[in-house]
Amino acid sequence: MVVTRFAPSPTGYLHIGGLRTALFSWLWARKNGGKFLLRIEDTDLSRNSQEALAAILEAFDWVGLDYDGDVIYQSERFDFYRQYIDRLLAEGKAYKCYMTKEELDALRAEQMARGERPRYDGRYRDFTGTPPAGVEPVIRIKAPTEGEIVFTDGVKGQIRIAASEVDDFIIARSDGTPTYNFVVAIDDALMGLTDVIRGDDHLYNTPKQLVVYEALGFTPPRFYHVPMIHNEQGRKLSKRDGAMDVMEYKRQGFLPEALLNFLVRLGWSHGDQEIFSREEMLEHFDPHEINKSASSYNLDKLLWLNAHYIKNSPNEKLATLLEGFGVHVAGHDRMEILLDAVKERSKTLVELAEHIRMILEAPIEYDPKAVKKAFKGEAFEILEAFKARLLLAGEPHLPSDYHKVMEGFVAEREIGFGKLGQPLRVALLGRLSGPGMDEVMAILGVEETVARIERAIETLRDQE
RNA sequence: GGCCCCUUCAUCUAGCGGUUAGGAUUCCAGGUUUUCAUCCUGGCCACAGGAGUUCGAGUCUCCUAGGGGUCACCA
């Protein structure tokens, strides 16, 4: 049985670094038919935020990562942790420390001045005298004083850290609330975690947590510390380059499958494969194969993946998604033609929506450069004649029907396709780029096409 | 600064002692297309540096440099 978890602290929204470790944990649990748990690390009551928690849950829902059982809140388990603190105190594995914050700060300043590493000096470790009055003590755990703490990381290999690097760290604040490294170890152990997959920044917490495991007699899980994601310049990720709320990706028109595909390939690969369906991720993912080095965020690749998933999405699905971007095409009788025409040229749903509007909404103005290029020679005359031809064509339906009309027209007049296509494009779309004219006409129908041609002729002739 | 980790094209990566160092994104060129995009073909671009070990090193060892993480009554 594999049990993994994602354990965010509700102090901010979920960003892609967190989402990636969540994805890795989720994949590993699901792949093995195990459990994926969600635990909220909210022991610091002063820093919690309901909005942050809601945003995290919303993001999970959007990308489709499901968790087993109820969300667990550490803030609701303080009494529970208290038992373990008392136990360690009774067993002499933890002790009360009466140093005040001010004293601690002074000690640190002194050590720094001497060029030493700031560190608790253990002055209350074996204290038996009379405690100073008026000081609420913190509880510190007794960490080993010599030797080293060794553990095997599933990503980094064997890690050895000198015991002298680990302080007698605080497990309960002077107000009695327990601290992070203490409760994480207890919860991970008691929730039956077998594999802890988390960010690299937790590597140094591991020896501390192992001290807790040791003191409480718990068996530690396997650890995997996944490297950080940097920005495109190789520096720490900032909001500007991707460390934004995962939900912001939704707003910017990304598909969750594209985002997940992008993230799974950051620090992990399976041969030359770039595109992974959820099933393929589940089939191939293994945390032991995660790379040791940090990787950089690359927006171009994310956009490429997103374009890929848009191109390969069923039109029905795109139509539903487009509702969120103010475009209603679900009822449009040419929806299939319309979406087929635009989905190959859109990197995001935002672009997809723009392209659709560009077709459905008649041009307000005509791009002067396009006009200059397309309206040379007998363009007006050609458009007039084509309009007349269209009115005689009945009501063609498919792009191929319109194509035949165009074909017949240019053949008869012995002109190139461009002679008709270019001015027609400006007349219908106001610009020189876009889907094929046959598709556009099939979407608009004869009536609207003719109306746009007439308006263009009228407007542009006045400008001559 | 101490400790720990990392280092293959600009970027994501393959490689697990013997390869013309492969793929993908970006970029460039060509083809397809009435245009744009898609798509197809081709091209540019990398083993951080230095010592060893070895018949042979991107792959093993050490050193240097660079980058990152961490040193809280935060998580």
Side-chain angles (χ1 to χ4, degrees), chain A residues 21 32 37 50 75 108 122 152 160 171 175 185 227 237 248 393 403 409 411 464:
Chain A
T21 55
N32 291 289
L37 309 174
Q50 278 303 313
S75 58
R108 278 200 198 99
T152 300
R160 318 175 72 95
I171 58 174
D175 66 2
L237 214 51
E248 185 59 25
H403 194 78
F409 182 81
E464 286 263 299

Side-chain angles (χ1 to χ4, degrees), chain A residues 299-311:
Chain A
L299 182 61
D300 280 327
K301 194 143 189 180
L302 209 208
L303 284 167
W304 173 74
L305 281 163
N306 204 46
H308 170 85
Y309 281 100
I310 287 176
K311 264 180 293 191

Side-chain angles (χ1 to χ4, degrees), chain A residues 21 98 164 177 193 327 391 425:
Chain A
T21 55
Y98 293 89
S164 58
T177 58
L193 269 288
V327 169
L391 289 168
R425 181 175 299 284

Side-chain angles (χ1 to χ4, degrees), chain A residues 32-105:
Chain A
N32 291 289
K35 285 202 164 100
F36 174 63
L37 309 174
L38 184 58
R39 186 179 71 218
I40 306 301
E41 318 253 289
D42 53 354
T43 52
D44 186 348
L45 275 9
S46 64
R47 303 210 319 167
N48 296 335
S49 130
Q50 278 303 313
E51 297 80 64
L53 176 57
I56 291 167
L57 295 177
E58 189 187 15
F60 261 59
D61 184 55
W62 178 56
V63 298
L65 294 188
D66 59 328
Y67 48 88
D68 295 292
D70 295 325
V71 178
I72 295 155
Y73 298 89
Q74 291 184 324
S75 58
E76 294 171 0
R77 294 158 62 83
F78 282 176
D79 288 344
F80 179 74
Y81 303 129
R82 186 73 228 174
Q83 299 168 21
Y84 288 94
I85 292 170
D86 291 343
R87 188 174 128 194
L88 290 182
L89 240 22
E91 292 173 357
K93 291 173 176 170
Y95 59 93
K96 291 177 178 170
C97 170
Y98 293 89
M99 246 179 125
T100 61
K101 254 179 216 174
E102 291 70 33
E103 288 175 305
L104 215 39
D105 287 343

